[in-house]
Amino acid sequence: MIRTVPVSLAESLVAPWEQSIELALVRGTDGRVVTVNRAFARKFGVPVKNWPGADPRMLIHSDDVKEWRMVTARLSHPPFRGSYEHRWLTAQGWRWLAWEENAIRDDEGLIVAFRAIGRDVTKRRLGEEHFQKLANAVEQSPLAVILTTPDGRVQYVNPRYTQVTGYTLEEIFEQDIAVLKAGFGSDEDYEKFLATVNAGKEWRGELCTPCKMDRMVWEFVQVSPIRNHAEEITHLMC
């Protein structure tokens, strides 16, 4: 049954977020907008007074509408809350918005409205997509790739490395194989190598890579330091 949301109730539902940077949206049981906060109005470039009666589905990307409908339909059942992320057409174009939404019930337990609190997560989503593309490129690379800590302890090897050497990452951990160190002729050479990369410089040269069945493969290797946002070297990639 469609129930009318009193204006006073709708306003009270968004009042705690009136000065917030988070987006607040109240929908009636008919799915249409009852009210929004200022942050929501600014995000979409439409004044607060113009939102009552609007259909939020018109703002959602066509590829996401079906999922949005399924998620919001579940709000009418215990625990009467849910979360979701979809693309919305804002004043800045298509943006990924993350929402925490819950059903508002009266004293009799009947649902009278739905309140959603959201934030823009586009930057994070794009970062995740970029990371996934990079991860796929490394996984499918025709070249062996190794990721280590600054002191040379292996953290990751790609499938090509396993194909060439026969060693999986699990075996390297279990057998404590010093992949980089084993490639140098002496401890002195290895220490010079570490000094170079930990100084933030690339190292290039030939290494003797240990393989299963007592095989040794000579390879030309390039090792690059990887830094975090504070310019600290966190890993070596080769």
Side-chain angles (χ1 to χ4, degrees):
M1 181 177 69
I2 297 177
R3 298 170 64 86
T4 302
V5 186
V7 175
S8 58
L9 172 60
E11 292 177 346
S12 69
L13 291 175
V14 299
W17 288 270
E18 194 53 39
Q19 303 301 323
S20 174
I21 61 173
E22 293 187 308
L23 315 180
L25 164 69
V26 174
R27 297 185 297 116
T29 54
D30 61 352
R32 293 187 175 275
V33 175
V34 178
T35 190
V36 301
N37 70 343
R38 295 178 185 177
F40 186 99
R42 287 194 301 268
K43 191 69 175 177
F44 290 88
V46 178
V48 172
K49 64 180 182 179
N50 292 355
W51 281 102
D55 186 348
R57 291 174 299 180
M58 303 304 294
L59 302 170
I60 302 172
H61 195 286
S62 58
D63 291 343
D64 298 338
V65 170
K66 182 178 180 180
E67 182 183 353
W68 180 81
R69 284 174 173 169
M70 290 190 296
V71 173
T72 54
R74 291 197 290 269
L75 297 173
S76 299
H77 307 281
F80 303 106
R81 62 178 180 272
S83 58
Y84 51 87
E85 292 182 8
H86 297 120
R87 289 161 291 184
W88 291 60
L89 185 57
T90 71
Q92 299 84 38
W94 290 106
R95 307 290 292 182
W96 282 97
L97 302 182
W99 299 92
E100 296 288 338
E101 188 165 12
N102 64 289
I104 306 299
R105 293 178 292 165
D106 62 17
D107 294 338
E108 299 177 359
L110 298 176
I111 295 174
V112 295
F114 300 92
R115 179 179 61 196
I117 305 301
R119 63 188 184 282
D120 192 323
V121 294
T122 304
K123 186 176 181 179
R124 173 178 62 76
R125 291 290 300 228
L126 292 178
E128 291 173 351
E129 291 176 8
H130 178 72
F131 175 80
Q132 189 58 53
K133 291 176 183 177
L134 179 60
N136 290 339
V138 172
E139 282 283 300
Q140 300 171 30
S141 173
L143 303 176
V145 177
I146 306 170
L147 191 67
T148 78
T149 59
D151 60 357
R153 290 179 290 112
V154 175
Q155 300 286 291
Y156 166 83
V157 296
N158 72 341
R160 179 57 178 168
Y161 177 89
T162 300
Q163 183 181 358
V164 171
T165 67
Y167 287 113
T168 65
L169 182 60
E170 290 75 14
E171 289 173 320
I172 292 173
F173 286 156
E174 291 171 359
Q175 300 177 35
D176 195 23
I177 301 173
V179 172
L180 286 181
K181 188 174 183 179
F184 289 86
S186 66
D187 289 344
E188 183 180 357
D189 289 339
Y190 180 62
E191 291 302 324
K192 289 181 179 178
F193 156 77
L194 286 181
T196 298
V197 293
N198 285 322
K201 302 177 182 178
E202 286 190 350
W203 183 92
R204 299 182 182 185
E206 291 187 348
L207 288 183
C208 188
T209 303
C211 304
K212 281 189 174 181
M213 306 299 292
D214 295 323
R215 292 185 302 111
M216 302 297 287
V217 175
W218 283 92
E219 297 179 297
F220 180 80
V221 177
Q222 176 178 312
V223 182
S224 302
I226 298 176
R227 298 175 174 83
N228 61 14
H229 67 281
E231 290 299 309
E232 300 169 332
I233 296 174
T234 60
H235 295 86
L236 303 177
M237 176 174 283
C238 57

